[in-house]
Amino acid sequence: MRVAPTVTLTSEELSELSRIVASRLSSVRLSLRARMILLAAEGLQNKEIAEHLGVDRVQAARWRKRYLEQRLAGIELNLPRGAHPVKVVEAVVRSHRLIAKPAVSPSTYPMPLMSLARFAGCLSPWPTKRWIQPG
């Protein structure tokens, strides 16, 4: 059985973490992380902390490790999540701007829906069904 590293807190760290947990102004995430560290300091293992707080064991281990490496600064930071940043293709942006702001005189605003569809290169502004002959 693996044993998680022990967390030893100074009196200042204990009071700061307790203040974070008790505060209604701190974020829910930070409060949960502080509770994880306080339970780890009491000697609970990651699995016990996870069961007690209703989180995953891996999450409890992650925040214990970050606290041991960076102390309070380690749990205050919100690191980027797993998803890659969204990349917008320039051509899509250009076509979106073309539809959003057509190059017509201001006197024609508001532009009728049919005219806007023709301007954008669509045959119809309405969704259409295409029937395919079986066989």
Side-chain angles (χ1 to χ4, degrees):
M1 180 176 154
R2 290 185 183 175
V3 178
T6 56
V7 175
T8 308
L9 300 175
T10 64
S11 60
E12 293 87 19
E13 290 172 331
L14 180 64
S15 65
E16 180 64 21
L17 289 170
S18 299
R19 184 193 64 76
I20 290 171
V21 169
S23 174
R24 300 181 111 211
L25 300 176
S26 62
S27 72
V28 175
R29 289 180 182 171
L30 182 59
S31 178
L32 180 64
R33 295 168 191 170
R35 275 188 265 154
M36 287 182 202
I37 301 306
L38 289 172
L39 291 173
E42 291 177 11
L44 273 68
Q45 294 297 310
N46 295 332
K47 185 176 180 181
E48 298 166 330
I49 294 170
E51 290 172 359
H52 185 74
L53 296 177
V55 296
D56 190 45
R57 177 190 55 82
V58 176
Q59 188 178 3
R62 176 186 309 127
W63 292 112
R64 179 192 296 255
K65 179 184 173 195
R66 288 186 188 169
Y67 185 81
L68 289 173
E69 291 172 352
Q70 302 172 9
R71 304 314 279 183
L72 190 58
I75 65 169
E76 288 178 332
L77 294 176
N78 284 327
L79 296 178
R81 296 195 176 195
H84 295 289
V86 177
K87 294 181 182 178
V88 179
V89 179
E90 189 175 336
V92 172
V93 172
R94 275 196 219 135
S95 66
H96 188 289
R97 285 187 190 143
L98 182 71
I99 293 171
K101 292 185 176 182
V104 293
S105 66
S107 63
T108 60
Y109 284 107
M111 185 179 248
L113 190 59
M114 201 61 194
S115 300
L116 181 61
R118 267 192 239 109
F119 184 80
C122 302
L123 296 176
S124 168
W126 315 112
T128 58
K129 286 186 179 179
R130 296 187 184 208
W131 298 97
I132 300 172
Q133 287 291 97

